Amino acid sequence: MNEPKTCVIVYTDGGASPNPGLGGWGAVLVSPGHGGLERELYGAEPDTTNNRMELTAAIQALRALKYPCRVELHTDSTYLRNAFEKGWLERWRRNGWRTSGKQTVLNRDLWEELWELSRTHSICWHWVKGHAGDERNNRCDALVQRAKEEFLSGMSPAAPA
């Protein structure tokens, strides 16, 4: 893949309460090449887990990109970041979606979609400590809460197509 010219900074977050339970995800996309233009995305699901929502946030953010980009993706999920940075995802795929302990990989459907999306973009994965004052991580967390509140009030935020 040729190195994409456009850079997008992405922050994502997801959560479920209880876990499993009502979940929400949020993403903030920043386009430095367009004057720092920001776009917010969020959604909710009624019966899910924290990890599924973390993966969904990244998927929805990457889906929103209309062409291949250089992506600086920030997440407070070590599960998400380490799957790429430590090569877990590649090993799971090679091992027939089995972990090193021979267990079935959870959330395979989302991992497969995220793998495909990650082939389109040049992604640098960054971990940020959650609830530690990072402005955009906090904004994503607020979007997660908003998604769940809207879902409960019947507004039902849907994932973008």
Side-chain angles (χ1 to χ4, degrees):
M1 165 172 59
N2 291 336
E3 183 67 24
K5 292 179 175 32
T6 302
C7 178
V8 178
I9 300 165
V10 175
Y11 280 76
T12 64
D13 196 17
S17 181
N19 186 28
L22 175 60
W25 60 268
V28 175
L29 291 76
V30 182
S31 180
H34 292 98
L37 180 68
E38 292 192 17
R39 180 175 177 199
E40 295 180 347
L41 308 170
Y42 63 96
E45 293 183 18
D47 186 28
T48 190
T49 65
N50 288 336
N51 285 338
R52 287 191 70 80
M53 292 293 88
E54 294 281 3
L55 295 173
T56 298
I59 288 168
Q60 294 298 346
L62 295 173
R63 272 188 190 170
L65 303 175
K66 302 299 182 208
Y67 45 84
C69 297
R70 283 183 298 117
V71 179
E72 299 290 330
L73 197 144
H74 300 78
T75 176
D76 61 10
S77 169
T78 55
Y79 175 63
L80 174 56
R81 180 184 175 272
N82 289 349
F84 284 92
E85 290 297 303
K86 295 193 174 190
W88 300 349
L89 188 50
E90 288 181 30
R91 282 194 298 279
W92 296 338
R93 293 179 75 248
R94 267 197 320 269
N95 294 336
W97 294 99
R98 297 278 180 195
T99 66
S100 59
K102 307 296 183 219
Q103 300 298 312
T104 299
V105 172
L106 298 176
N107 307 312
R108 176 180 173 177
D109 58 330
L110 298 177
W111 284 120
E112 286 180 323
E113 184 171 0
L114 194 51
W115 174 263
E116 288 304 318
L117 288 165
S118 74
R119 304 296 90 192
T120 302
H121 306 285
S122 175
I123 304 172
C124 184
W125 297 89
H126 303 276
W127 180 79
V128 296
K129 185 176 172 101
H131 311 285
D134 184 290
E135 179 183 341
R136 289 193 176 117
N137 179 259
N138 289 346
R139 184 67 193 134
C140 287
D141 185 60
L143 290 170
V144 168
Q145 301 314 313
R146 178 177 175 184
K148 294 191 297 185
E149 289 165 10
E150 287 184 10
F151 183 89
L152 289 173
S153 72
M155 292 172 66
S156 187

